[in-house]
Structure formats: structure tokens, C-alpha cells
């Protein structure tokens, strides 16, 4: 009894062995204490706001929910998680013994000159040789003892890649929600520009008729009439281009939400879209845990670190045990009788001796790959800081620009009002009115574009800060941002 316990403990210690290679530890990366021109706020960040509260438009919320449920890129990301989970289980299975059942039944025939010994009295003898039946049943066991941690490091690497694919799915969700919101806001900006253009066309037609009447009445030269006519056609051409852009944007949104290209329902107008009262950014260091692309890069680094231990383990012996227990007989009736019993247990040790430095070069190769992944991780962090800073600057400055554009439109309207009064009073030529009309139309289009860019910059800022994306009230079975389907 004591000897069996000692043997069991010895096997357990042997199986535990040691693990070669470095253990993963998050690298120390310098992070700025705060954002540029913004005081640090440790408690608050825009990324903690749920997307359905930030985008307070029922139609936009519905489009986002449809995308989370039907988008094909997101479905691919979910399937990649399933693939990585299967790979992890496939690799981890090597830690345990494998057991196989084997059954054999047949007949053997020996000719007279065979070198194999056939026991006398067994089989049937003929002039052409001897025939004998054979039956066998056995259970075979094989187990590689992971003494130096090769399998454990491989399992560790696959687990890190599994976690990386889960973060990649979250990155896909973040990008998808941001893309839907951005495309929808750009669509509403095109809608407003088209509305301005159509309103301007109606105004230009009135001026064409006025210029025609004044020309035919001998009050103004023909050039005034032709200039008014040319300006009308210019706005019509812009209108046709805006209609084209709207159709293209609708097709883009349709694909994002996983359906065939078609019309998109509208919600609130661009001018009715709400902006948060404050936009806190939190601490830069929080991006290391919030941004899914950084988490993906870190999990890849953890996997590459584990690969070093896996490569180093190949420098050392590989220890394996194989065993078999079963029965073999020439008679089916006596197959499971005592004399038919057969068993074996064999230990195997394979130690690389000479392969021209191949195994050591493998270690050097994997270590170089790990350093490359480390530099990629550090570069991903730098890019994340830059994107966040760019988004913060864009949001602030487009807000200032929007205020200036609004003042510009008001001034241009006043200029056009005065020019029309001078023209109708016969004091000024139509060219003065034409210049005022062009300036006002350009100012209104620029104001609309600035408003759209300001709203889009909020979406980009939300994405750059890592977006909390907590679980949203989406339809059952949808792939939600905060976890698995329907989480």
C-alpha cells in the first residue's frame, strides 16, 4: 500500500515537472499623465456612456441594433472565437493520456518456406501451407509526460490567442457601432445639404424669372439674365451630386446592418441631434485596459512569450509512456481466457543530440518574433494615444468652427438682403446679388458640413477612448458589445 502511494506521488511530481521560458508580465509603457490642454479626470470618461444614451436618435439606435445582430463581419469575429476555443481545447488535450480500443479478427496463411513459427496442432495444414485464425482485443494507452512544460506553454499560448479573439470581437463591435453612427450622421448631413440646395433652386428660379422680365423690359442687359440662368444650373448640378452621395451612403449603411442595398429610414435631422453637455476623457493610462485593439496586441504578446518556453522545451528530453492490455487467441471461444491475456508498458525518452543547431535557432527565431510583437504592442499604444488626442482636438475645434460658421451664415444673409434691395432699387448690378447668393449658399453648405463633422468627431472620440459599450437592450440572439450573444 505504501509503495503504491509513493509510486503515485512520484508520477504526479514527474508529470508536474518544470516550465521553461519566461512568464508573461505586462511591459511597462510610459503614459502621459493627462491629455493635452485638458485637466485629468480619473473618475469620469465619455467611454462609460452607453451608446444608446450618447446617440439619442431612435432610428440610429435601431440601425445599430440591426447591425449588432446581422453584420457579417461581426458574425465572422464570433466564429473566430469558436475556432480559437476549439484550438485551445485541442492543444490542452495533449496534457492527458490518450486511450484507444483495438479489435482484430482474421486469418493468417503461412507457406511452407515461411520463417514464422507456427505452433504444431494450430491451424489447418494443406499442401500449400498453413492457415490459422487470429483474434485480438486490447486497450492502448499513450501519454507524453510534460516534464519541461512544452505542452503547457503551447496551451498557454492558445489560451492567450483565445482571449485575443474575444477582444478582437469587441473591437469589431466598437468599430461597427461607430461606423453605423458615423455613416448615419453623414447621411443626415447630405440630407440637409440637399434640402438647402433644393430651397436655393426655388429661389434661383425666381431670380431667373425676374432677370428675364427686367431684360425683356429693357431695364437690364442680357448678361444679367444669363448669369442668373447659369447659377440656377450650377445649383441643379450640385443637387444631382448630393442625390448620388445620398444613395451611396444608404447602400453603405445597408451593408453595415447586414441587408441588401436600399433606402434607409430617417430619424432626427442633423440640427436636432443632441450633444452631451460635457465630454470627459478620463486618464490616458485607462486606454491600456479600455481599448480592445491594445488588449488584442497584449494577448498576442502573451502568446509569443509562451512560445519561447515551448521552443526551449524542445532542447530537452521528451518523455512518453505507452501501455497495452488485451487478449490474443487463435480461437474466438478462448479469447478472454487467462492464457490469452497479454500486456505491456514501455517508457520512452527522446533526447535531441545533433541537428546542426536547429533547435537553438528555433529558440532565437521565436525570441525575435516575441520582440517584434512587443514593438507592435508599444506602437499600438502610441497610435491609441494619438487617435484619442486627435479626436479630442477635432471635437473642440469643430465646435469652435461651428460657432464661427453660424455667425458667417447670419452675416451672409444680411449681405444678400442688402444686395437684393440695391438691385431692385436699380442702384447695383445683378453681379452684386449673384456674388451674395453664391457666398450665402457656400456658407450654408459649409455650416452643414461643419455640423456633421462635429457630430462625427464625437463618435470618433467615443471610439478612440475605448467606448464602454456595456450590454444594450438588443433583440435576443444578437451579438452584444458587452459579451456573448444576448449578454
Amino acid at each position: 500500500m505504501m509503495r503504491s502511494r509513493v509510486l503515485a506521488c512520484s508520477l504526479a511530481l514527474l508529470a508536474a515537472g518544470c516550465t521553461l521560458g519566461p512568464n508573461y508580465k505586462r511591459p511597462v509603457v510610459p503614459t502621459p499623465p493627462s491629455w493635452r490642454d485638458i485637466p485629468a479626470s480619473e473618475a469620469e470618461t465619455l467611454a462609460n456612456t452607453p451608446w444608446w444614451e450618447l446617440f439619442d436618435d431612435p432610428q440610429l439606435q435601431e440601425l445599430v441594433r440591426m447591425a449588432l445582430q446581422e453584420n457579417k463581419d461581426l458574425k465572422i469575429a464570433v466564429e473566430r472565437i469558436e475556432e480559437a476555443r476549439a484550438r485551445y481545447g485541442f492543444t490542452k488535450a495533449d496534457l492527458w493520456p490518450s486511450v484507444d480500443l483495438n479489435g482484430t479478427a482474421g486469418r493468417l496463411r503461412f507457406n511452407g518456406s515461411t520463417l514464422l513459427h507456427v505452433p504444431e496442432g494450430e491451424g489447418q495444414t494443406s499442401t500449400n501451407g498453413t492457415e490459422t485464425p487470429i483474434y485480438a482485443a486490447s486497450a492502448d494507452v499513450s501519454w507524453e509526460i510534460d516534464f519541461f512544460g512544452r505542452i503547457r506553454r503551447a496551451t498557454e499560448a492558445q489560451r492567450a490567442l483565445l482571449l485575443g479573439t474575444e477582444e478582437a470581437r469587441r473591437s469589431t463591435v466598437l468599430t461597427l457601432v461607430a461606423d453605423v453612427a458615423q455613416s448615419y450622421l453623414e447621411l443626415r448631413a447630405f440630407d440637409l445639404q440637399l434640402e438647402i440646395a433644393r430651397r436655393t433652386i426655388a429661389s434661383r428660379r425666381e431670380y431667373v424669372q425676374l432677370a428675364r422680365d427686367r431684360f425683356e423690359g429693357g431695364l437690364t442687359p442680357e448678361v444679367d439674365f444669363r448669369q442668373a440662368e447659369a447659377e440656377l444650373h450650377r445649383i441643379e448640378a450640385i443637387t444631382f451630386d448630393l442625390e448620388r452621395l445620398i444613395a451611396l451612403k444608404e447602400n453603405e449603411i445597408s451593408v453595415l446592418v447586414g441587408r441588401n442595398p436600399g433606402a434607409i429610414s430617417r430619424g432626427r435631422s442633423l440640427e436636432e441631434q443632441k450633444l452631451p453637455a460635457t465630454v470627459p476623457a478620463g486618464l490616458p493610462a485607462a486606454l491600456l485596459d479600455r481599448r480592445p485593439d491594445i488588449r488584442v496586441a497584449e494577448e498576442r504578446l502573451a502568446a509569443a512569450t509562451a512560445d519561447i518556453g515551448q521552443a526551449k522545451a524542445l532542447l530537452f528530453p521528451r518523455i512518453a509512456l505507452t501501455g497495452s492490455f488485451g487478449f490474443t487467441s487463435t480461437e474466438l471461444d478462448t479469447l478472454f481466457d487467462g492464457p490469452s491475456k497479454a500486456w505491456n508498458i514501455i517508457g520512452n525518452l527522446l533526447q535531441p543530440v545533433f541537428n546542426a543547431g536547429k533547435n537553438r535557432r528555433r529558440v532565437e527565431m521565436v525570441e525575435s518574433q516575441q520582440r517584434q510583437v512587443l514593438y507592435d504592442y508599444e506602437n499600438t499604444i502610441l497610435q491609441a494615444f494619438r487617435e484619442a488626442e486627435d479626436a479630442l482636438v477635432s471635437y473642440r475645434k469643430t465646435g469652435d468652427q461651428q460657432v464661427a460658421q453660424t455667425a458667417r451664415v447670419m452675416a451672409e444673409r444680411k449681405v444678400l438682403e442688402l444686395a437684393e434691395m440695391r438691385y431692385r432699387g436699380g442702384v447695383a448690378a445683378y453681379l452684386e446679388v449673384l456674388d451674395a447668393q453664391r457666398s450665402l449658399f457656400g456658407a450654408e453648405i459649409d455650416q452643414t458640413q461643419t455640423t456633421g463633422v462635429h457630430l462625427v468627431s464625437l463618435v470618433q472620440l467615443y471610439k478612440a477612448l475605448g467606448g464602454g459599450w456595456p450590454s444594450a437592450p438588443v433583440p435576443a440572439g444578437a451579438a452584444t458589445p458587452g459579451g456573448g450573444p444576448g449578454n
Side-chain angles (χ1 to χ4, degrees), residues 180-309:
V180 171
Q182 178 173 334
S183 298
Y184 178 80
L185 293 172
E186 290 172 347
L187 176 63
R188 299 306 280 141
F190 288 147
D191 288 339
L192 184 55
Q193 291 175 36
L194 181 61
E195 179 183 336
I196 293 171
R198 287 173 174 171
R199 185 173 66 242
T200 303
I201 286 177
S203 174
R204 295 294 186 273
R205 285 174 177 162
E206 293 178 1
Y207 267 93
V208 168
Q209 185 61 44
L210 176 62
R212 184 196 301 272
D213 294 342
R214 291 174 68 87
F215 163 62
E216 292 176 350
L219 299 177
T220 58
E222 183 179 2
V223 66
D224 287 0
F225 166 57
R226 297 306 176 188
Q227 285 178 332
E229 198 174 40
E231 176 64 11
L232 170 63
H233 295 319
R234 185 180 77 89
I235 302 301
E236 287 177 340
I238 294 175
T239 300
F240 296 143
D241 187 59
L242 287 172
E243 291 174 346
R244 177 185 65 86
L245 294 174
I246 287 174
L248 294 179
K249 189 60 66 174
E250 286 182 324
N251 293 342
E252 178 184 340
I253 296 174
S254 296
V255 173
L256 286 174
V257 300
R259 70 186 192 192
N260 293 325
I264 297 297
S265 300
R266 308 305 202 261
R268 294 180 176 176
S269 67
L270 189 71
E271 298 166 324
E272 294 173 338
Q273 300 294 328
K274 296 181 180 179
L275 291 171
T278 59
V279 184
L283 293 176
L287 290 189
L288 299 182
D289 292 318
R290 297 198 68 92
R291 290 266 303 224
D293 55 337
I294 296 179
R295 298 291 297 273
V296 171
E298 184 176 6
E299 295 299 345
R300 289 182 60 241
L301 179 59
T305 303
D307 286 339
I308 296 176

Side-chain angles (χ1 to χ4, degrees), residues 77 80-81 84 160-170 296:
R80 284 175 179 163
I81 294 177
L161 293 177
L162 169 59
L163 296 176
T165 56
E166 292 175 346
E167 291 297 334
R169 183 197 66 85
R170 182 169 172 261
V296 171

Side-chain angles (χ1 to χ4, degrees), residues 148-443:
F148 295 100
R150 182 185 68 85
I151 300 176
R152 276 170 287 165
R153 286 302 191 193
T155 303
E156 182 181 334
Q158 290 299 326
R159 182 177 183 275
L161 293 177
L162 169 59
L163 296 176
T165 56
E166 292 175 346
E167 291 297 334
R169 183 197 66 85
R170 182 169 172 261
S171 178
T172 302
V173 170
L174 192 153
T175 301
L176 175 61
V177 176
D179 286 349
V180 171
Q182 178 173 334
S183 298
Y184 178 80
L185 293 172
E186 290 172 347
L187 176 63
R188 299 306 280 141
F190 288 147
D191 288 339
L192 184 55
Q193 291 175 36
L194 181 61
E195 179 183 336
I196 293 171
R198 287 173 174 171
R199 185 173 66 242
T200 303
I201 286 177
S203 174
R204 295 294 186 273
R205 285 174 177 162
E206 293 178 1
Y207 267 93
V208 168
Q209 185 61 44
L210 176 62
R212 184 196 301 272
D213 294 342
R214 291 174 68 87
F215 163 62
E216 292 176 350
L219 299 177
T220 58
E222 183 179 2
V223 66
D224 287 0
F225 166 57
R226 297 306 176 188
Q227 285 178 332
E229 198 174 40
E231 176 64 11
L232 170 63
H233 295 319
R234 185 180 77 89
I235 302 301
E236 287 177 340
I238 294 175
T239 300
F240 296 143
D241 187 59
L242 287 172
E243 291 174 346
R244 177 185 65 86
L245 294 174
I246 287 174
L248 294 179
K249 189 60 66 174
E250 286 182 324
N251 293 342
E252 178 184 340
I253 296 174
S254 296
V255 173
L256 286 174
V257 300
R259 70 186 192 192
N260 293 325
I264 297 297
S265 300
R266 308 305 202 261
R268 294 180 176 176
S269 67
L270 189 71
E271 298 166 324
E272 294 173 338
Q273 300 294 328
K274 296 181 180 179
L275 291 171
T278 59
V279 184
L283 293 176
L287 290 189
L288 299 182
D289 292 318
R290 297 198 68 92
R291 290 266 303 224
D293 55 337
I294 296 179
R295 298 291 297 273
V296 171
E298 184 176 6
E299 295 299 345
R300 289 182 60 241
L301 179 59
T305 303
D307 286 339
I308 296 176
Q310 186 179 175
K312 286 185 175 181
L314 293 175
L315 295 171
F316 294 87
R318 297 177 65 175
I319 302 171
L321 295 177
T322 59
S324 177
F325 178 85
F327 302 88
T328 302
S329 175
T330 58
E331 298 293 338
L332 184 59
D333 295 340
T334 62
L335 176 61
F336 296 104
D337 292 347
S340 302
K341 185 184 301 182
W343 62 270
N344 67 73
I345 181 168
I346 301 172
N348 176 267
L349 185 146
L350 175 64
Q351 169 61 56
V353 176
F354 177 77
N355 50 24
K358 182 177 180 180
N359 286 336
R360 292 192 178 276
R361 295 298 174 265
R362 181 189 287 110
V363 174
E364 294 172 0
M365 178 182 67
V366 174
E367 288 177 339
S368 175
Q369 292 173 345
Q370 190 264 356
R371 290 191 294 271
Q372 294 173 44
V373 178
L374 171 61
Y375 300 145
D376 179 70
Y377 170 69
E378 294 173 343
N379 186 60
T380 301
I381 293 176
L382 290 176
Q383 291 296 330
F385 287 152
R386 177 196 169 185
E387 290 173 6
E389 289 283 8
D390 290 350
L392 285 167
V393 172
S394 297
Y395 183 73
R396 292 200 308 272
K397 294 307 177 182
T398 54
D400 297 338
Q401 187 179 2
Q402 187 178 13
V403 174
Q405 289 287 5
T406 301
R408 175 192 169 194
V409 169
M410 295 177 62
E412 294 289 0
R413 285 174 180 166
K414 188 64 177 177
V415 170
L416 178 59
E417 180 183 348
L418 295 173
E420 288 175 342
M421 292 176 59
R422 289 167 54 83
Y423 175 67
R424 293 178 185 277
V427 180
Y430 179 71
L431 183 60
E432 183 175 327
V433 176
L434 183 62
D435 287 340
Q437 289 176 337
R438 288 175 175 173
S439 297
L440 176 58
F441 179 74

